[in-house]
Amino acid sequence: MESTSMTASDEMLSVRAAELYYEDAKTQDEIGSLLGITRWKVGRLLGQARDHGIIRIEIVHPRARRLPLERELRERFGLADAIVVPNPSDASTLQLRVAEAAADYLQALRPVPKTLGVSWGRTLDDIAAALPEGWARGVDVVQINGGVSLNKRAGTAATTAVTIAQKGGGHATLLPSPAILERRETRLAIEADRTVAGVLERAASASAYLYSAGVASASSVLVDSGYLTPDDVAELVRKGAVGDVVGRYIDANGNIVDPGLNERTVGLGLTQLRAAQTSIAVIAGEAKHHVARAVASSSLCTVLVTDEATALALLEEGRQ
């Protein structure tokens, strides 16, 4: 709304009306009586006070959202929805805040997904923990990419899917395979197995997907799980990788950077994600700005859940 100029007397009345309304919790009728003006004029003065910066309203609840940025993201990238949370003063809580926002969005999603396809990783693990018991009634969860750990550390892929399903009153269908295999022929043989093929078929027909994106660095969960070495990831970066989506490394345009590696990766493909009616990408943090931009700009998600700094970084590039 275009702001109008105020006279000096109106400015002082606006200040007084704002003090009475926001600090003394007076109603507009009470303010009108105290100042000798109509209730209608009180409302106009409060509106002018907001327009001229006399009043600054800040919502500080940890579950607050940045609605103007959400609107800009929807318009810029053609998203069905966007959820943007403020960056916390304590950066260590950023991922948890975004995971909570994703959990809030998921339990409010209508219609409730009959079958939810999920990836795995640290962010998905946090979302599973943030979801309340009874967030849905009877939702079935299917794992959309392989996640059997190749090292001695316990993997979280199965735990994540099972937790989301149990809290939603349904059951989980797991993909019993590593994420990346050594040979293409091995992947084809595994995917031809009746059990694995059935899981992949179920994953392809899910009514919604929930996933995050990984960084193209030695800190990647794919390195931590034993699938790749830091040198492998460095080579992918040399080829243009900005991160991975369901285990598939992409460049800034959302294209596969290593077709050979992609052929050895088990699970849902990027074409299937792009064709989905609802695909929720949960991506946060400065290290993921590049992959977040690639995901949003290449139709890999219909919904983006992120933080304020990431949203601003995505929007800033288009303003330059």
Side-chain angles (χ1 to χ4, degrees):
M1 181 175 68
E2 184 180 353
S3 61
T4 57
S5 60
M6 283 195 293
T7 65
S9 60
D10 269 2
E11 182 173 344
M12 293 311 299
L13 273 175
S14 290
V15 171
R16 184 63 178 138
E19 289 171 337
L20 291 167
Y21 190 74
Y22 289 101
E23 294 183 359
D24 285 353
K26 300 293 187 185
T27 66
Q28 292 187 20
D29 284 329
E30 290 172 331
I31 294 169
S33 297
L34 289 168
L35 300 182
I37 56 178
T38 64
R39 183 185 185 281
W40 176 86
K41 185 167 184 178
V42 172
R44 181 171 64 83
L45 290 171
L46 291 172
Q48 288 180 329
R50 288 191 296 270
D51 293 342
H52 288 268
I54 294 170
I55 299 170
R56 295 179 182 174
I57 300 173
E58 181 181 9
I59 302 172
V60 297
H61 192 276
R63 298 290 180 97
R65 288 165 50 176
R66 294 293 189 249
L67 301 184
L69 288 178
E70 293 178 0
R71 182 172 58 252
E72 284 194 69
L73 285 173
R74 289 195 300 269
E75 294 172 353
R76 177 71 57 80
F77 297 105
L79 300 171
D81 211 344
I83 293 81
V84 179
V85 300
N87 282 76
S89 55
D90 181 359
S92 67
T93 66
L94 174 62
Q95 182 169 302
L96 181 58
R97 289 277 185 89
V98 175
E100 288 173 343
D104 289 344
Y105 183 83
L106 191 60
Q107 61 182 314
L109 188 62
R110 296 294 182 273
V112 176
K114 182 178 180 181
T115 302
L116 176 68
V118 301
S119 183
W120 58 276
R122 302 179 187 108
T123 300
L124 268 292
D125 196 36
D126 284 342
I127 295 171
L131 280 168
E133 294 287 345
W135 72 268
R137 295 182 179 179
V139 64
D140 291 332
V141 177
V142 59
Q143 191 180 322
I144 62 175
N145 60 318
V148 176
S149 183
L150 297 185
N151 56 28
K152 294 181 180 179
R153 296 182 186 176
T156 63
T159 302
T160 298
V162 169
T163 300
I164 294 173
Q166 287 181 341
K167 288 184 173 181
H171 72 272
T173 301
L174 305 179
L175 183 56
S177 169
I180 301 172
L181 299 166
E182 291 189 1
R183 299 176 60 205
R184 174 179 177 271
E185 292 77 13
T186 306
R187 190 215 96 209
L188 292 174
I190 287 178
E191 290 188 351
D193 176 84
R194 184 172 62 180
T195 300
V196 175
V199 177
L200 292 174
E201 183 178 353
R202 190 171 183 82
S205 63
S207 45
Y209 296 103
L210 176 70
Y211 72 93
S212 185
V215 294
S217 75
S219 65
S220 167
V221 70
L222 292 171
V223 173
D224 194 46
S225 298
Y227 293 111
L228 300 172
T229 68
D231 287 343
D232 291 332
V233 178
E235 177 61 17
L236 289 167
V237 171
R238 189 190 66 78
K239 293 178 179 180
V242 295
D244 79 276
V245 173
V246 293
R248 302 178 189 274
Y249 279 86
I250 60 173
D251 63 17
N253 296 314
N255 299 316
I256 295 294
V257 298
D258 188 328
L261 176 63
N262 189 58
E263 284 290 308
R264 296 189 284 113
T265 302
V266 180
L268 204 71
L270 301 188
T271 299
Q272 292 166 305
L273 270 184
R274 288 191 172 102
Q277 184 173 354
T278 303
S279 52
I280 306 165
V282 187
I283 310 173
E286 185 176 359
K288 294 187 178 182
H289 285 183
H290 293 305
V291 71
R293 183 178 292 110
V295 167
S297 63
S298 66
S299 302
L300 278 169
C301 68
T302 63
V303 179
L304 178 63
V305 184
T306 192
D307 61 282
E308 185 174 4
T310 301
L312 288 170
L314 266 59
L315 294 167
E316 189 60 33
E317 184 175 83
R319 292 171 179 149
Q320 294 174 352

